[in-house]
Structure formats: structure tokens, C-alpha cells
Amino acid sequence: MDHFLYRDGELYAEEVAIAEIAAEVGTPFYCYSAATLERHYRLFDEALEGTDHLVCYAIKAASNLAILKLLGDMGAGMDVVSGGEYARARAAGVPGERIVFSGVGKTADEMRMALEGGIRQFNVESEPEMLALNAVALELGVRAPITVRVNPDVDAKTHAKIATGKSENKFGIPISKARAVYAEAAGLPGLEVVGIDVHIGSQLTDLAPFREAYEKVALLTEELREDGHDIRRLDLGGGLGIPYTNSNETPPLPRDYGAMIKETLGHLNCEIEIEPGRLVAGNAGIMVSGVIYVKEGDGRDFLILDAAMNDLVRPAMYDAHHDIVPVKEAEPGVEPARYDIVGPVCETGDTFARERDMSVIQAGDLVAFRSAGAYGAVMASEYNSRPLIPEVLVRGDQFAVIRRRPSLEDMLNRDSIPEWL
Ligand code: LLP
């Protein structure tokens, strides 16, 4: 459920008309609903009620400081995967003790930054990383709290580019090697083992792969405890999917996910961490675009938008589906038209949808891409020298630009021409 609804035939974000934002900010832009972000965070928090837990929002999904501040102020922890994300979480006011650091390639500089600034734990993904972290911690005279990310070799049954829990993926250490790796970690004086980490993929629409992975983690917890490790924290990753169409998709609810976590892991009395990204931000954001031209092709009509694959890459990159709706609601009873919906970038891949039925659209109309709040703005680029598009946050009847649109001058000024040229 989200707060992007029609009122009197006009699409609104909470109590603000999208057309009003477009008139002020120009198109294209991303628009987030504060109430939806809050609601989704709360769903996870409530799903784990009764268990010691921390919901660490995976900020890779949508990392604007305003979004991080909103969630951080509600008590959310953050999952970061780079020094840049760590800096964002801190700049949004999230204390280090609520930040977990994931990722397969943390550099010594990033480790130093987090150890100096405060960190809840590093989710270590390999033996070389463990040795590097040990060295940095010793150099700083501290002990780095760690979990080891185990790869449980389960099939997440999601898009191949976002599945991470199979042995052929680059993530984590094979669960079969875990006991040996933990023994090695325990011998490193710069490290303090606090728990186990697992993350098997993103946009999972079934609980079964999660259950399979968490059952393996439960067994491993018992084995590691037998080996003398104080396993007190389980980081279960993110990955719960969202419905991308209004039709028949019904991914599991956070409530059922939480119940399954308690069922598989509750008896271990560990503190539970989860790292949801998409479910918090995905349906809390839309991308709004203007129609530049309606072009009649040979047997098909094209809607040429002012947004392109550089602004929202998911369709080009993962063949992802986003519902695209008119900002002015279709008149009831009027026959829909069929369009290929494309952007202006010079690539055939710059196609958002093929043969999509929607109401008759004219040049100058506005359309909204639904479910674009996660992995939308954060994956944008300036390909074709198109400046990054702005982000807007709505709360109730207020809205604010939370990232402004750079001018062409801003963009050009980042380059420099050497004197000798
Ligand atoms: N934790 C870790 C270690 C992750 O790698 C990820 C996502 C998450 C948590 C959050 O997963 P979520 O709850 O958002 O599914 N760009 C792709 C998605 C990539 C996900 C990468 N890792 C997309 O647009 O579908």
C-alpha cells in the first residue's frame, strides 16, 4: 500500500498534486511519500516485535539524506556498503552503533573511516578481508566487531543479476567452510566475533528460500557455539520482494516474514538484524516524466518521454516492469491506446515498456512510473550528458526538493581541460 492515489482525476502524492510539483520543479523527477516510507519501516519493526531486533535499512535502495534522516529518526539502523554510504548515514544523524557495514570489497580506508567514526559491526565476506580488517583495527588499537557472511547455497529464485546466495555468486564464504573461518577469526586479536550474516538475494517473492537459508544459519549457530564462539547476533540480510504490478503479484508480507524468522531462529535467543531496502523505499517513490512527443511508427505508436534509461535503468538492466500511469486519470469507458514507451537516449535499450495499454496520451501530458523509489535515483547516471534528475519528498500537504536538479553548468564544471591541451 502506498500514498500515491487519484483524487478528482489527478494523481496525488499524499495531499500534494503531482502536477503542482511538476509545475514547480520541472520534469522528470523522483517523488517520495514520507508516510509510505514510515509505514514500511514500521511493518518490519512490528514484524519482529517481541524479539530483540534492529531494522537496518539498506541505504543502497534510496540514499537521499532526507530519507535517511526520516528513517533514522524513527530508530532505524542502516546497512551501508561503501565509505560514501557510511558518510551519508552519519550525515543523516544515525549513530555508528546502528550502522552495519556490508560488501565484498571494503578497502582499508573504508574500514578506518568506520572504526574511527563508530560502527555496530562489519559483515566480513572473505578471509583476506578478515585479515585486512584485523590489521586496520590493530593499527587503531581497537577491536572490530564482526559477523562472517555465509553463503548458504540456496536458490533465491529471483533475477540472476540480483541472486547472491548460490555458491557460484561472489558473496560470502561457503557455509561449509564457516567453522574453519570462525576459528581463524577467533585467533585474530583485532577482531571480535559477534554473530553470523546471510543475504541471499533481492526481490524474493516466496519465503521458502529464506526459510532454507535461515534453517542453515540456525544449525551453524549451534555448531559455532559448540566451538566456543559467542554468537549473539544474526544479520539476516534484506531481499523481501514488492508487488510491481497492481494485478496478481502477492509477495509475502513482512508480518509473515517476521513470524518465519521467529519460528526458525527464535529459540537461539540472538539479537536479530534485517536489512530491507526495496520494501521500505520501492513503493514509496515514483518517477514523474513528461511526454515530449507521440510518434506514430509502423504498426506501433511511441510515447517519447523526457525521462530515459539513465534516470531509471531497471527496465534496461533487468527487464524490470514498472507500471506507468497517467497523472491525469483515464476517463472511464474510453478505449485505451497501446504504446511503446521510450526515452530520448540513443539506444534501443532505452525502452521502458513495449505494447503497453494505457489511456490516450498527448504531448505535454505527465506520466508516473510506480514502484520507482528503490534502485531508481541511486542507479541514475548522466549518460548522454543528461543531468541527474531532482528528488522531492512529500509529507502531508508539504513538499520539498531534497536533491536539486544540477544546471548544465554544474555538470560541465566538473570536467577540466589540462593547460597543456
Ligand atoms: N543487504 C545486502 C547485503 C544487499 O546486498 C542488499 C541488496 C540488501 C541488503 C537489500 O536488499 P533488498 O531488501 O533491497 O532486496 N539494483 C537491483 C537490486 C540490487 C540489490 C542488491 N543488494 C534492482 O534494481 O532490482
Side-chain angles (χ1 to χ4, degrees), residues 37-206:
L37 288 163
E38 285 163 4
R39 182 185 131 80
H40 291 167
Y41 167 74
R42 258 193 221 108
L43 287 178
F44 279 110
D45 201 32
E46 287 166 9
L48 292 175
E49 221 166 65
T51 319
D52 194 8
H53 70 271
L54 185 66
V55 178
C56 295
Y57 168 61
I59 83 176
K60 61 168 76 68
S63 58
N64 189 289
L65 292 185
I67 293 176
L68 303 187
K69 165 133 181 28
L70 177 150
L71 295 169
D73 285 356
M74 294 179 77
M78 305 272 149
D79 168 45
V80 306
V81 292
S82 68
E85 286 194 352
Y86 178 84
R88 282 185 175 277
R90 294 308 313 269
V94 180
E97 73 224 27
R98 279 199 258 137
I99 302 176
V100 301
F101 205 138
S102 301
V104 284
K106 304 174 196 79
T107 65
D109 282 343
E110 289 174 324
M111 293 169 177
R112 210 168 284 122
M113 178 178 184
L115 283 172
E116 285 175 346
I119 190 80
R120 179 179 182 82
Q121 95 221 5
F122 291 89
N123 295 329
V124 171
E125 299 223 14
S126 66
E127 289 170 273
E129 184 196 335
M130 205 162 85
L131 296 173
L133 181 59
N134 180 57
V136 175
L138 291 178
E139 169 198 311
L140 296 175
V142 297
R143 284 183 88 193
I146 67 154
T147 70
V148 176
R149 175 166 174 185
V150 294
N151 186 325
D153 196 22
V154 303
D155 183 355
K157 299 198 170 63
T158 181
H159 191 286
K161 283 187 186 160
I162 51 175
T164 56
K166 284 292 282 175
S167 53
E168 71 250 31
N169 301 131
K170 68 180 177 180
F171 299 97
I173 58 143
I175 199 161
S176 54
K177 284 177 72 182
R179 287 177 94 159
V181 172
Y182 273 86
E184 191 184 344
L188 296 171
L191 304 183
E192 184 192 1
V193 171
V194 299
I196 305 173
D197 173 46
V198 69
H199 169 80
I200 57 172
S202 193
Q203 186 54 16
L204 272 71
T205 51
D206 183 1

Side-chain angles (χ1 to χ4, degrees), residues 252-302:
L253 301 172
R255 183 178 358 115
D256 300 329
Y257 175 65
M260 183 274 291
I261 289 175
K262 290 179 197 170
E263 196 186 315
T264 49
L265 299 162
H267 61 287
L268 297 164
N269 286 320
C270 282
E271 185 178 6
I272 299 294
E273 295 165 349
I274 53 171
E275 303 171 348
R278 191 190 307 267
L279 205 146
V280 176
N283 284 324
I286 60 174
M287 181 179 74
V288 180
S289 177
V291 178
I292 309 178
Y293 299 115
V294 182
K295 170 169 156 173
E296 277 182 34
D298 193 5
R300 59 180 70 211
D301 292 342
F302 295 93

Side-chain angles (χ1 to χ4, degrees), residues 319-346:
D319 298 318
H321 171 100
H322 286 266
D323 278 352
I324 304 170
V325 299
V327 168
K328 208 179 262 314
E329 194 173 18
E331 304 272 343
V334 176
E335 274 291 296
R338 179 166 289 183
Y339 299 106
D340 278 16
I341 304 175
V342 303
V345 159
C346 303

Side-chain angles (χ1 to χ4, degrees), residues 17-38:
I18 293 299
E20 183 192 336
I21 304 175
E24 193 165 321
V25 176
T27 54
F29 63 92
Y30 279 97
C31 176
Y32 306 96
S33 149
T36 313
L37 288 163
E38 285 163 4

